[in-house]
Amino acid sequence: MKLQTEKGEIRISSEVFTNITGAAATNCYGVKGMAIRSTTDGLVHLLRKESMSKGVKVIYNDDSTVSIELHIIVDNGVNLMAVSRSIMSEVRYVVSKTTGVAVKNVDVFIDSMVIG
């Protein structure tokens, strides 16, 4: 994504958005980590910190905003609605504050729950 300022042009890569988003989401209470569904066996896998960006999809909108999709794994027994709202709020705030790009929407997909 390109941003034009009075001092010049800034380019922000997709990796920056996915890393910031993954870090913000996993810092929220009740989130065990980012998830990815295997194409070979169809199972959901918990991603390590190094590859948590695979659980994030960033869509660049025509109005210079971004839309974000997150796939997460949560702890068993948490209030799913409260966790989802917390993630949406935190991701929107952190991404906007860090990159200067407005976040149009954040969609949270809870792929699995972990006991313990």
Side-chain angles (χ1 to χ4, degrees):
M1 172 170 259
K2 289 189 241 178
L3 300 173
Q4 190 65 40
T5 68
E6 64 276 351
K7 294 184 179 185
E9 184 178 89
I10 300 171
R11 292 178 187 246
I12 304 172
S13 73
S14 293
E15 282 184 36
V16 170
F17 282 107
T18 57
N19 287 332
I20 291 169
T21 301
T26 54
N27 284 336
C28 292
Y29 174 78
V31 177
K32 193 71 170 176
M34 303 305 292
I36 189 168
R37 186 171 301 276
S38 172
T39 55
T40 55
D41 57 14
L43 298 175
V44 174
H45 299 280
L46 180 65
L47 295 168
R48 287 182 271 161
K49 290 249 185 226
E50 308 85 53
S51 57
M52 69 181 165
S53 63
K54 292 179 184 174
V56 179
K57 181 179 179 185
V58 178
I59 301 155
Y60 300 101
N61 301 313
D62 293 335
D63 59 355
S64 298
T65 63
V66 292
S67 296
I68 299 170
E69 290 182 10
L70 297 165
H71 291 267
I72 62 167
I73 296 175
V74 297
D75 290 322
N76 189 34
V78 296
N79 182 324
L80 300 180
M81 187 62 84
V83 169
S84 296
R85 283 188 182 139
S86 172
I87 292 168
M88 288 177 202
S89 175
E90 183 71 8
V91 166
R92 186 180 305 268
Y93 173 75
V94 170
V95 170
S96 294
K97 184 170 172 51
T98 307
T99 65
V101 176
V103 178
K104 191 173 202 172
N105 62 318
V106 178
D107 296 322
V108 178
F109 298 91
I110 300 172
D111 290 344
S112 184
M113 288 183 156
V114 175
I115 299 172

